[in-house]
Amino acid sequence: MVALTPISRKPVSFYVPVVAAAGAVAGLFVGTANGSGLLGILIGAVIMGALAFVLTQIVKNEQISRWATIVALGIVGFLMGGIPAMLIGAAFGWFFSWFSFWLYEGRYRAKIPPYLTPGQVLWHYAFRVICGAIFVFLITPILVVMPLSFNAENFFTFTPEMLRFDPAGYSLKHYQDFFNSSDWQGAVWNSLKIAPAATLLSVSFGTLAAIGLSQPHVPFRRAIMAVLISPMIVPLIISAAGMYFFYSRVGLQGTTLGVILAHAALGIPFVIITVTATLVGFDRSLTRAAANMGANPVTTFFRVQMPLILPGVISGGLFAFITSFDEVVVVLFVGSAGQKTLPWQMFTGLREQISPTILAVATILVGISICLLTVVELLRRRSERLRGMSPG
Amino acid sequence: MSDVNNATTALDAERAEKEYSGPMLAADGTPLKRSLNRALRRQKLRALLLIAPLLIFVLVTFIAPIADMLFRSVENEIVQDTLPRTTEALEQWSGEDGTTPDAPVYKALYQDIYIAQERKLHTRLGSRLNYELTGASSLFRKSGRGVDDIGEVYQDQFEDLNEFWKKGENWNEVLGSDAWLAQIKDWDKSAGTPQPAFEMRDGIADIFPQTAGYYMIFADFVQNEDEDNLYKEDPWPLIYSAFYDDLTGDTASVIASYSGPGATEIAEAAAAATGFETVDYKEAFTKIDKDWGASPIWGTIRAYSPRFTNGYFLNSIDMQKSADGAEFRPENERIYGTLFLRTLFMSVCITLSCILLGYPVAWILANLPARTANLLMILVLLPFWTSLLVRTSAWKVMLQQQGVVNDTLVWLGVVADDSRLALINNQTGTIIAMTHILLPFMILPLYSVMKTVPPSYLRAAKSLGATNWTAFWRVYFPQSVPGIGAGSILVFILSIGYYITPEIVGGTTGTFISNRIAYHISSSLNWGLAAALGAILLAVVLGLYYAYDKIVGIDNVKLGG
């Protein structure tokens, strides 16, 4: 929505108490951390209220007052508790100076409809804070893992050295563990052997079948589709159990081939879905035109159809790859020690001898998934919107 | 001239007739309808040919295993395969509580267990029956060790009577055919040629029916499983008891006129056999273990003798077979009902918390300007793309007693250092971690539905005087319900069959039915029960999937589901 709402400065009686209330909340946390919550509330409210008044009524220049607050609170924090507290103090300074001017200038009204009542404005921002908290919930676990993986100790929490930003608290030793351990390297190697093979199988079969399924007249289309999609619907533990029973009957249990076949079956629905979605927008007259000009079906497929549906095939392949690369339940049952993949190694690591090496691996995997996410996003934007795919 | 005219008019008439009544023709002269049909058929065939490789692949690598699992949940051939004679004889038994079967059953049991223990199958049967009756496993192991003594009663008596009966060679001379005897004597193990398969002498089976029958089993076992030279192998004690039965049984009169090899020894044995010390099989088994003299084990064997059983399914809903049909187990032995309920309860909790957390996020993503929304979308998609193990390990790290969450809470003074919250290895841990893991599956379908709701509807409602809440509840919410439905079913289906996360953060109280299935496959080895539990879970999921198909449509399956 465009900024249509005229904004005006607000009276002292409005914003100083609000800032003081926010200060009380901050003071509560600082206070409890230092011994007395009640005292913290009082001091926080008084200091922040006064600060808001001084900044807006006496200093008045926004640039100067914001920097001054950040520096001042940073110093206070440093005196109270060293470098981590300094950072927290500076963050408080940044927030409270911005908050004071935001309220004082009435900027909070700028981007919302002019007819909202104060209560609705409050709700508008409260809602955003709630959503922000949910986003924090979503992303925190992934962010927490990263710094912890540089821990110099074998702990799963931040050590005092780490919080002081003492270089001695950080090290690459878990990464060294990862790269030097034959268990982990063997697992990586197995994963890199199994996932591409499974992907190749599911992409080649899946693409052919998707082309067949998108023909205008396919008998039993729904039933075939249901069968092909089923590996995605059936809970993994059931697939794993069934495959374990069946593959041990036919002698595939505990072989690399067995794991590859199982993973290929699990990846097929993703290929089918993405490729059929791409084929929905495919202009059939192009293949007829190619045939008209004398191309045989194979040439038509590789020179005309394939380049056009390639984005769908690649993103289907990526899904299949990540399915296999990330899969642990099926490999746990169908594989044996010789097929130990990376997720399996992580799983045993988490269940038995829990070591922070897992966090180093996790960080590396997060890096990989960021790369994959980027590739898929780029592909998705480049090709037309794949129907039914994750929106955005 | 007139002939030509006549001919042309005839031709015209013919053509005209064809145009009226005949079928329309394609370029090559075939009727158009047929030609089109053929083209359609070819098109269908081509489509099917393209699909066929994948369809076969999925059928073999995925559908067949599922079918195999379903079959295993009712399959119960082990009892009848291991104890064929006993199960047949048991049909005569009334099965009343407190009674035990008659003597023939015990004899059949001796014969079955003897063969089973030679093949090392009796312990497997014991562990199978142990699922139904505690103690069966040790009972069968004990009996396997004890049956040797039972048979030796007759063996010793025959051997004492005449050294002749001690040697495998003599038995083979009597029972084997001349052609086979010639072959086996020439056979040399070191030459690498296969051992000539045992052949029964013509007519011997009519004279010594039981001996011949068991000797065939013995010969097959020695030649194919032990791979020893049958000619030199001394027979099992079981053969001696069968021989005794033949000598004293219906065929005694035929034996008297026997004139083949070893006729003198047989005549001698037949004369002596009537005075032999006999074996009371029932007493012998009761001596091995007094459980054989009580009805529970017999009831169990009888209940599980059919080739297919609903026993695993009964077990998985906390019931058991008894003399008067299926009944519930005692209160303290019921675990699966609780486990199913807990799985359902926790899945509902997870689904509800996903709705609660996902709805505001989907709303704000759908209503923010595209640039900001795309940026925030990354925060949703990044967890979605991150390895499940990474997220699970992150939660394990965060929720521990000494983990990040507890440390922060202690530092803020919210909880005391000595009363840190137990957030892991219980239901709380599972619900928190799985809500986080499944949240993107709720947000994405919700978002795609909310994106299609025009924002002008809300504004229209408000301009007509609705309050914020009314506008939302009466106008916006009903339009977002399909998204909630799709997301909920997706999250519910996924959570109900989850294994990894509950296993790692669930401890003992936060585990799902799938953890129990995995336990039965890899630790307790009760595969039938695992298959039955899996079949029930599969039925629930397929039911939900059907609902999903009705609500959302299978072609609109969101990726990642």
Side-chain angles (χ1 to χ4, degrees):
Chain A
M1 246 166 278
V2 201
L4 297 169
T5 319
I7 57 172
S8 58
R9 298 203 160 161
K10 302 292 167 198
V12 176
S13 60
F14 164 64
Y15 67 87
V16 169
V18 175
V19 176
V25 174
L28 171 70
F29 286 122
V30 178
T32 44
N34 286 306
S36 164
L38 208 62
L39 202 64
I41 293 177
L42 273 175
I43 295 176
V46 170
I47 291 183
M48 289 309 159
L51 186 78
F53 185 79
V54 171
L55 290 184
T56 50
Q57 297 300 317
I58 298 170
V59 182
K60 285 188 178 166
N61 183 324
E62 191 176 346
Q63 285 286 325
I64 295 177
S65 43
R66 290 197 63 180
W67 281 110
T69 322
I70 292 174
V71 171
L73 285 185
I75 292 171
V76 171
F78 185 74
L79 294 177
M80 277 171 71
I83 293 179
M86 181 182 85
L87 287 179
I88 294 173
F92 274 161
W94 174 82
F95 173 75
F96 279 104
S97 52
W98 167 81
F99 194 53
S100 306
F101 278 97
W102 190 63
L103 290 174
Y104 169 59
E105 302 272 1
R107 278 182 222 145
Y108 62 92
R109 274 278 189 176
K111 288 193 175 163
I112 51 176
Y115 50 78
L116 294 188
T117 60
Q120 287 170 335
V121 174
L122 184 66
W123 167 243
H124 178 86
Y125 285 105
F127 183 72
R128 293 199 166 196
V129 171
I130 294 172
C131 287
I134 299 171
F135 279 117
V136 168
F137 171 71
L138 269 171
I139 207 76
T140 311
I142 295 169
L143 293 185
V144 161
V145 165
M146 295 186 187
L148 279 181
S149 70
F150 295 101
N151 199 335
E153 304 289 333
N154 284 340
F155 294 147
F156 281 100
T157 190
F158 292 98
T159 56
E161 293 82 27
M162 293 183 87
L163 292 174
R164 277 203 306 272
F165 296 100
D166 185 349
Y170 294 85
S171 84
L172 287 172
K173 74 174 209 179
H174 303 309
Y175 289 86
Q176 281 164 359
D177 278 352
F178 171 64
F179 285 106
N180 293 330
S181 137
S182 58
D183 275 358
W184 284 105
Q185 290 305 305
V188 171
W189 183 237
N190 271 331
S191 276
L192 288 181
K193 240 179 0 194
I194 290 166
T199 310
L200 194 71
L201 266 181
S202 41
V203 168
S204 46
F205 282 138
T207 310
L208 273 187
I211 291 172
L213 278 172
S214 61
Q215 306 273 326
H217 303 284
V218 184
F220 317 114
R221 189 170 186 281
R222 276 183 76 83
I224 292 175
M225 199 70 177
V227 169
L228 297 185
I229 299 290
S230 59
M232 195 169 85
I233 305 300
V234 175
L236 275 176
I237 186 73
I238 294 175
S239 316
M243 284 170 171
Y244 177 67
F245 297 146
F246 185 72
Y247 285 12
S248 37
R249 263 189 222 264
V250 295
L252 279 172
Q253 201 270 332
T255 63
T256 310
L257 180 67
V259 178
I260 290 175
L261 289 180
H263 278 183
L266 294 181
I268 277 165
F270 300 96
V271 179
I272 292 281
I273 289 174
T274 40
V275 179
T276 39
T278 324
L279 281 168
V280 167
F282 180 73
D283 186 356
R284 210 149 275 290
S285 55
L286 290 176
T287 52
R288 282 203 291 272
N292 225 351
M293 290 175 184
N296 62 29
V298 178
T299 319
T300 314
F301 175 72
F302 281 108
R303 300 285 296 277
V304 178
Q305 196 164 17
M306 196 62 188
L308 282 168
I309 61 168
L310 198 60
V313 175
I314 292 180
S315 63
L318 278 177
F319 270 106
F321 182 83
I322 202 91
T323 307
S324 166
F325 196 73
D326 198 17
E327 206 289 321
V328 49
V329 186
V330 168
V331 75
L332 213 56
F333 287 99
V334 175
S336 62
Q339 287 82 44
K340 207 164 211 181
T341 58
L342 198 54
W344 185 352
Q345 181 68 32
M346 287 183 80
F347 181 65
T348 30
L350 278 173
R351 249 201 334 195
E352 288 146 25
Q353 22 94 35
I354 181 153
S355 115
T357 313
I358 287 169
L359 299 183
V361 183
T363 310
I364 294 172
L365 286 182
V366 170
I368 292 175
S369 50
I370 291 176
C371 295
L372 281 178
L373 174 63
T374 321
V375 173
V376 171
E377 272 297 299
L378 289 179
L379 277 174
R380 192 183 56 85
R381 288 190 189 174
R382 186 167 160 271
S383 69
E384 60 185 7
R385 291 192 165 202
L386 300 179
R387 197 169 62 91
M389 213 196 114
S390 55
Chain B
M1 192 68 183
S2 68
D3 279 357
V4 176
N5 269 342
N6 278 348
T8 40
T9 42
L11 213 66
D12 279 345
E14 203 179 284
R15 204 172 281 157
E17 194 182 338
K18 258 188 191 162
E19 271 170 28
Y20 279 114
S21 62
M24 202 179 268
L25 296 187
D28 60 353
T30 52
L32 187 61
K33 198 172 168 189
R34 201 164 55 182
S35 171
L36 279 175
N37 270 338
R38 201 172 57 197
L40 190 65
R41 249 198 331 272
R42 271 170 55 189
Q43 216 173 19
K44 281 184 180 172
L45 200 67
R46 203 171 54 211
L48 282 184
L49 277 181
L50 284 170
I51 300 170
L54 182 71
L55 195 60
I56 293 168
F57 183 81
V58 173
L59 285 177
V60 171
T61 59
F62 188 79
I63 302 295
I66 299 290
D68 184 36
M69 186 198 76
L70 294 179
F71 174 67
R72 260 182 208 275
S73 66
V74 293
E75 184 246 37
N76 185 46
E77 291 180 341
I78 182 164
V79 180
Q80 205 173 92
D81 283 353
T82 322
L83 304 176
R85 298 163 194 85
T86 315
T87 48
E88 203 187 322
L90 254 186
E91 280 167 23
Q92 310 296 327
W93 180 47
S94 68
E96 268 170 52
D97 215 26
T99 65
T100 49
D102 301 330
V105 177
Y106 283 93
K107 189 170 168 188
L109 180 71
Y110 161 68
Q111 291 157 344
D112 284 334
I113 290 197
Y114 191 87
I115 295 169
Q117 63 92 19
E118 285 291 338
R119 294 201 162 127
K120 313 254 181 294
L121 293 176
H122 65 300
T123 49
R124 271 174 54 193
L125 176 66
S127 23
R128 163 69 186 93
L129 289 177
N130 203 50
Y131 303 141
E132 318 299 343
L133 184 75
T134 325
S137 184
S138 67
L139 176 63
F140 273 86
R141 203 166 299 126
K142 247 192 216 168
S143 310
R145 286 195 300 267
V147 283
D148 258 347
D149 302 338
I150 302 179
E152 274 166 13
V153 174
Y154 291 113
Q155 186 178 11
D156 293 346
Q157 293 185 84
F158 276 112
E159 287 175 4
D160 290 346
L161 183 72
N162 195 328
E163 288 282 306
F164 178 84
W165 298 116
K166 245 184 196 166
K167 288 196 162 278
E169 284 94 328
N170 297 334
W171 282 94
N172 280 312
E173 293 288 346
V174 173
L175 295 169
S177 74
D178 292 331
W180 175 76
L181 283 168
Q183 282 176 351
I184 192 86
K185 281 176 192 160
D186 287 345
W187 179 68
D188 182 11
K189 195 172 186 178
S190 53
T193 50
Q195 189 175 163
F198 177 75
E199 269 176 31
M200 189 64 70
R201 185 183 291 275
D202 276 344
I204 207 90
D206 300 329
I207 307 169
F208 304 107
Q210 300 199 44
T211 317
Y214 290 112
Y215 203 80
M216 284 304 278
I217 296 173
F218 166 69
D220 178 62
F221 176 78
V222 172
Q223 291 194 317
N224 298 325
E225 287 180 50
D226 264 9
E227 294 182 357
D228 281 336
N229 190 343
L230 173 64
Y231 188 65
K232 299 208 172 87
E233 194 74 11
D234 296 341
W236 292 337
L238 177 65
I239 309 288
Y240 292 91
S241 45
F243 189 52
Y244 171 81
D245 289 340
D246 279 333
L247 292 178
T248 55
D250 301 337
T251 48
S253 54
V254 193
I255 294 169
S257 58
Y258 172 74
S259 61
T264 45
E265 285 85 358
I266 290 174
E268 177 199 14
T274 43
F276 272 7
E277 179 201 343
T278 57
V279 178
D280 184 346
Y281 291 102
K282 186 167 182 172
E283 196 190 304
F285 270 106
T286 325
K287 220 165 85 188
I288 292 174
D289 195 314
K290 61 177 174 6
D291 281 354
W292 284 119
S295 51
I297 180 69
W298 292 109
T300 309
I301 292 179
R302 200 165 85 136
Y304 288 91
S305 52
R307 290 208 170 272
F308 296 100
T309 177
N310 55 3
Y312 292 122
F313 277 100
L314 290 179
N315 256 342
S316 58
I317 50 172
D318 285 336
M319 293 175 90
Q320 63 185 357
K321 283 190 167 195
S322 69
D324 356 300
E327 61 175 25
F328 274 103
R329 282 174 184 272
E331 286 287 348
N332 54 356
E333 285 177 26
R334 292 183 199 169
I335 48 171
Y336 297 109
T338 333
L339 204 51
F340 270 113
L341 283 182
R342 187 206 288 166
T343 305
L344 287 180
F345 168 74
M346 287 176 70
S347 299
V348 168
C349 278
I350 290 162
T351 311
L352 286 181
S353 37
C354 276
I355 295 175
L356 211 63
L357 296 182
Y359 201 90
V361 169
W363 159 285
I364 206 156
L365 285 175
N367 286 298
L368 278 178
R371 275 179 71 90
T372 333
N374 273 340
L375 218 62
L376 287 177
M377 195 51 133
I378 292 178
L379 297 184
V380 178
L381 288 179
L382 186 61
F384 180 71
W385 274 93
T386 308
S387 165
L388 168 70
L389 263 299
V390 171
R391 285 179 282 167
T392 310
S393 27
W395 279 111
K396 176 141 186 162
V397 167
M398 293 199 11
L399 296 177
Q400 284 182 69
Q401 288 270 303
Q402 305 296 327
V404 177
V405 170
N406 263 317
D407 276 0
T408 315
L409 291 179
V410 168
W411 182 70
L412 288 176
V414 179
V415 298
D417 198 11
D418 51 357
S419 61
R420 286 171 176 256
L421 302 178
L423 295 171
I424 204 167
N425 295 336
N426 54 22
Q427 298 198 0
T428 324
T430 309
I431 291 178
I432 294 178
M434 283 188 56
T435 303
H436 174 256
I437 286 165
L438 297 176
L439 193 51
F441 292 96
M442 177 64 80
I443 295 178
L444 296 178
L446 259 179
Y447 170 81
S448 59
V449 168
M450 286 183 177
K451 199 77 187 150
T452 62
V453 179
S456 50
Y457 286 9
L458 261 188
R459 288 208 289 273
K462 282 184 198 164
S463 76
L464 290 172
T467 61
N468 258 355
W469 171 250
T470 319
F472 167 76
W473 186 246
R474 300 281 299 278
V475 176
Y476 194 89
F477 184 77
Q479 297 186 74
S480 68
V481 164
I484 298 181
S488 306
I489 293 183
L490 201 57
V491 168
F492 195 80
I493 287 182
L494 285 171
S495 69
I496 205 172
Y498 237 64
Y499 168 64
I500 295 296
T501 311
E503 181 75 23
I504 289 176
V505 299
T508 47
T509 57
T511 49
F512 282 10
I513 195 75
S514 43
N515 301 88
R516 198 73 194 167
I517 296 177
Y519 164 78
H520 281 308
I521 294 174
S522 51
S523 302
S524 84
L525 303 182
N526 191 349
W527 290 5
L529 183 55
L533 290 170
I536 294 176
L537 183 59
L538 184 65
V540 173
V541 168
L542 286 184
L544 287 169
Y545 174 58
Y546 179 76
Y548 186 87
D549 190 23
K550 286 283 154 214
I551 296 172
V552 192
I554 182 167
D555 288 343
N556 296 330
V557 176
K558 301 287 176 295
L559 246 195

